[in-house]
Amino acid sequence: MKDRVLEVKDFSAGFGDKTVVKNVSMEIYKNRVTSIMGPSGCGKTTFIRCMNRLHELNEQAFHKGEILLDGENIFKKNPIEVRKKIGMVFQRPNPFPTMSIYDNVIAGYTLNGIKLSKEEKDKIVEDSLKKAYLWEEVKDSLHRRGTFLSGGQQQRLCIARALAVKPEIILLDEATSALDPKATAKIEELIVDLKQYVTIVMVTHNISQAARVSDYIAFLYLGELVEYDKADTILTTPKDERTEEYLTGKFS
């Protein structure tokens, strides 16, 4: 399919002698929001951490199979290059505490030793903060620390930081679970808008959130991909009994 950006082939991963993700194959489509759902401990976070090579930072970690980004196996590329193309935003907002809002946004360039002119930096900061719905709120305090912002603003700052290096994909790991309902609604609105610029893969426990923002949903259970389809299909006519039981709250 021509709009496929990421292809997962017979992929397994885990720690030591425990396999957490079991033989998953699926495709992620460009400029779409794909939600990875399933009960706690079913391998969702491990799976998306494999997509940008964070999983292997654990000494016990292993993986088998392939993940192809634009047809190239990410495990044959430099991990730093992979992470430039596949950014990640974590469960808890984590702006760099000693850095200003401005420096947080361009941290991906600074930390990788990429030199930019003042003009280039200004443009990237403004553009990224606008895309993250944060510019109007912070444009007069760009040189204050990112940690002075509210939780929801900090998470949008982390999204701006991920967007700044112009990735193809952004991974969101339960990115709203630490936020209040108002901040969550703002980020959901942002996710829907962002897919015009970037492909989004998100882990969420929240079924109604997945319904609001997803184009596709993958349901993982005990590390296996039980079902993967368009969001409407999964939510209204799931093919597997386990998917239906999860969606109707029989287990969580």
Side-chain angles (χ1 to χ4, degrees):
M1 194 180 226
K2 65 180 184 300
D3 63 349
R4 177 179 68 203
V5 63
L6 203 68
E7 192 178 359
V8 181
K9 290 182 164 183
D10 302 323
F11 190 77
S12 300
F15 304 92
D17 55 4
K18 184 174 167 55
T19 303
V20 182
V21 177
K22 299 170 186 168
N23 208 35
V24 170
S25 293
M26 64 185 285
E27 296 176 347
I28 302 288
Y29 302 111
K30 194 175 174 65
N31 298 107
R32 297 287 181 271
V33 178
T34 300
S35 285
I36 313 283
M37 300 191 70
S40 296
C42 72
K44 303 183 297 294
T45 293
T46 299
F47 184 35
I48 69 162
R49 284 174 69 88
C50 290
M51 290 179 187
N52 78 338
R53 308 274 309 262
L54 282 178
H55 171 65
E56 64 209 59
L57 297 177
N58 183 305
E59 283 178 13
Q60 298 267 296
F62 71 85
H63 69 268
K64 289 188 302 212
E66 293 182 319
I67 297 179
L68 307 178
L69 174 66
D70 297 324
E72 288 187 70
N73 188 346
I74 64 166
F75 298 106
K76 294 187 172 164
K77 294 167 79 76
N78 180 320
I80 292 165
E81 292 306 311
V82 173
R83 288 177 206 133
K84 279 185 200 165
K85 293 193 169 184
I86 306 178
M88 188 155 184
V89 176
F90 299 91
Q91 193 165 357
R92 297 206 165 270
N94 63 341
F96 296 122
T98 58
M99 286 188 190
S100 66
I101 293 167
Y102 185 100
D103 289 337
N104 258 284
V105 177
I106 52 164
Y109 293 91
T110 318
L111 299 174
N112 288 302
I114 298 164
K115 298 272 190 286
L116 298 169
S117 68
K118 170 90 167 60
E119 207 176 314
E120 287 170 319
K121 288 180 189 172
D122 289 350
K123 187 174 185 322
I124 288 165
V125 168
E126 183 173 343
D127 186 47
S128 305
L129 289 170
K130 279 180 173 169
K131 283 179 180 166
Y133 288 4
L134 195 56
W135 175 251
E136 290 303 324
E137 294 162 51
V138 302
K139 63 182 180 187
D140 298 323
S141 44
L142 292 175
H143 298 289
R144 290 185 68 179
R145 287 190 182 182
T147 45
F148 98 91
L149 299 169
S150 70
Q153 288 173 321
Q154 286 188 32
Q155 196 63 302
R156 281 182 279 139
L157 176 58
C158 294
I159 291 170
R161 184 174 68 197
L163 288 169
V165 292
K166 299 183 172 56
E168 288 188 54
I169 299 171
I170 288 187
L171 310 171
L172 304 176
D173 187 11
E174 296 271 8
T176 61
S177 63
L179 305 178
D180 63 48
K182 195 175 169 187
T184 296
K186 187 108 180 168
I187 287 189
E188 285 181 8
E189 191 187 330
L190 169 58
I191 288 167
V192 173
D193 198 32
L194 275 181
K195 68 183 179 186
Q196 63 185 301
Y197 309 110
V198 70
T199 302
I200 294 171
V201 180
M202 57 184 269
V203 166
T204 179
H205 271 95
N206 185 327
I207 294 164
S208 44
Q209 178 175 78
R212 287 190 292 268
V213 305
S214 311
D215 298 294
Y216 290 86
I217 292 176
F219 175 63
L220 287 186
Y221 183 63
L222 301 176
E224 291 175 19
L225 179 62
V226 171
E227 202 163 340
Y228 178 49
D229 211 328
K230 289 188 171 170
D232 292 352
T233 307
I234 293 269
L235 295 167
T236 55
T237 50
K239 294 180 184 68
D240 193 288
E241 196 180 322
R242 290 166 295 177
T243 314
E244 191 168 350
E245 286 182 351
Y246 178 73
L247 292 172
T248 52
K250 300 236 169 70
F251 59 83
S252 59

